[in-house]
Amino acid sequence: MKAFELRGFGLDSLVLTERPDPVPGPFEVVVRMRAASLNYRDLVLMRGTYDPNLRFPLVPLSDGAGEVVAVGPEVTRVKPGERVVLSYVQDWVAGAPVPSLVARRLGGPTDGVLAQYVKVPEHGLVHAPAHLSDVEAATLPIAAVTAWHALFEVGRVRPGDTVLVEGTGGVSLFALQLARLAGARVLVTSSSDEKLARAKALGASAGVNYRKTPEWDEAVLALTGGRGVDHVVEVAGGANLGRALRAVRLGGEVSVLGFLEETRSELELTQAIRRCVTLRAVSAGSRASLEHLIRALEVHSVRPVVDRVFPFTEARAALEHLASGQHFGKVALAFPG
């Protein structure tokens, strides 16, 4: 089979090669990949800033969907011919994360989905939503599950709440769509007026251009009558986290989902303590989270926002497009038929 290997840090180390076709053992499934989607995690992993001890060669990318083509002995959850989505954290089936269950993550340290065939344990996949294409289904495991987990499984978003979403990447737009499903009002920040207009078309109530208004937290407070938002979906890191704390209401929540700008932040702790803010880091979710998310998407016929789809062989170009920050929603790859 054809597969991409990362043989060192940097996009120049991404090589298209040949690997043996996988053969399933007991409780294992082989999936013919039909699509994959990209996450910011893939970029920082390839740059060496996410895990400097990464072992090579590695098949990258964490999110994918495809068709079951072979099953090993004792497999009962899926059958050949069924469409499936691979769970990012393979062994985290349900409940709280514990070290023994979150070690095996697709795309690093475990081989990922940028290959024509992928072998996984049967507990590491779910049936794909019937109303979504393979490309759309491939966008769910990290971005959508992280947003779902933050808003509803560890967060307390309720109808009538106001949620602030930073940016218009994959996680942020899923958070916008899911918060709207829950009956929440959504505010969005972006550096682009065009992207803010597109976010409003998806259901956002208002937006703030943080390039034109660097003190965007003050603009958010004005949009909420000085009260602040109930929940912030924080993806930038750095000094942005301090602004998120200033934009949230007394007793509100800030979910830290990423570090697009900076991995380090300096916080004024008195600000968080005085206002009783819950600050929580969220990293993906369990297979059960993915299943709950899929049920919600199916009931409401929600479709992910896909910015652009590249052919499998243009994986590097897709990663460069993601790195440019020009995307609105998810960047994906379509595999050969």
Side-chain angles (χ1 to χ4, degrees):
M1 67 171 182
K2 293 186 181 301
F4 276 92
E5 288 182 347
L6 189 67
R7 296 179 176 175
F9 291 122
L11 285 181
D12 290 341
S13 299
L14 187 63
V15 178
L16 182 60
T17 187
E18 297 274 345
R19 283 193 168 195
D21 290 351
V23 178
F27 302 102
E28 291 182 331
V29 176
V30 173
V31 178
R32 180 173 184 175
M33 302 307 300
R34 297 297 189 184
S37 74
L38 279 56
N39 294 281
Y40 184 69
R41 176 186 188 271
D42 301 315
L43 285 175
V44 294
L45 186 146
M46 291 182 182
R47 292 168 179 166
T49 55
Y50 188 86
D51 181 4
N53 299 315
L54 198 65
R55 294 184 178 181
F56 303 109
L58 173 79
V59 176
L61 302 195
S62 306
D63 287 1
E67 176 189 347
V68 175
V69 293
V71 298
E74 310 300 330
V75 170
T76 60
R77 296 191 68 246
V78 294
K79 296 179 295 187
E82 293 182 330
R83 296 174 63 237
V84 294
V85 178
L86 279 60
S87 183
Y88 160 53
V89 189
Q90 283 281 284
D91 301 321
W92 185 10
V93 174
V98 296
S100 62
L101 298 181
V102 300
R104 183 159 47 168
R105 297 173 183 246
L106 295 178
T110 304
D111 277 340
V113 302
L114 198 50
Q116 289 181 301
Y117 296 93
V118 174
K119 180 175 68 175
V120 295
E122 66 167 335
H123 64 250
L125 44 71
V126 302
H127 289 96
H131 74 294
L132 297 185
S133 68
D134 293 326
V135 165
E136 291 170 326
T139 67
L140 303 180
I142 289 186
V145 169
T146 299
W148 175 271
H149 191 191
L151 295 176
F152 307 123
E153 297 195 344
V154 293
R156 305 188 301 270
V157 172
R158 301 290 184 268
D161 283 356
T162 300
V163 176
L164 173 65
V165 172
E166 296 176 357
T168 55
V171 175
S172 298
L173 290 189
F174 273 121
L176 189 167
Q177 292 175 293
L178 293 171
R180 291 292 296 133
L181 283 188
R185 177 193 184 206
V186 181
L187 309 179
V188 180
T189 64
S190 174
S191 61
S192 163
D193 288 339
E194 178 189 357
K195 289 182 178 180
L196 288 174
R198 295 177 68 182
K200 290 177 184 177
L202 287 173
S205 297
V208 178
N209 186 319
Y210 61 79
R211 290 204 189 279
K212 296 180 178 178
T213 309
E215 300 80 15
W216 60 260
D217 50 307
E218 296 179 8
V220 169
L221 288 173
L223 288 168
T224 57
R227 175 178 180 269
V229 299
D230 298 283
H231 198 124
V232 180
V233 176
E234 217 298 296
V235 299
N240 206 66
L241 182 55
R243 295 200 180 279
L245 287 172
R246 291 192 289 273
V248 74
R249 67 165 172 83
L250 178 70
E253 301 177 334
V254 176
S255 289
V256 180
L257 310 185
F259 44 87
L260 294 175
E261 292 185 4
E262 179 61 53
T263 58
R264 295 180 179 271
S265 297
E266 291 187 7
L267 299 179
E268 187 177 337
L269 294 179
T270 56
Q271 183 182 92
I273 295 170
R274 186 171 60 248
R275 302 179 65 218
C276 302
V277 174
T278 298
L279 180 64
R280 180 188 296 110
V282 178
S283 176
S286 66
R287 191 193 80 196
S289 297
L290 177 57
E291 291 168 331
H292 297 158
L293 162 76
I294 285 175
R295 284 200 292 270
L297 299 181
E298 289 179 323
V299 167
H300 296 280
S301 299
V302 176
R303 309 188 81 94
V305 179
V306 178
D307 174 82
R308 187 172 169 187
V309 181
F310 289 78
F312 168 77
T313 53
E314 296 182 18
R316 181 171 173 177
L319 287 158
E320 290 171 344
H321 179 62
L322 180 69
S324 75
Q326 298 175 4
H327 59 289
F328 182 88
K330 295 293 291 181
V331 179
L333 296 168
F335 286 49

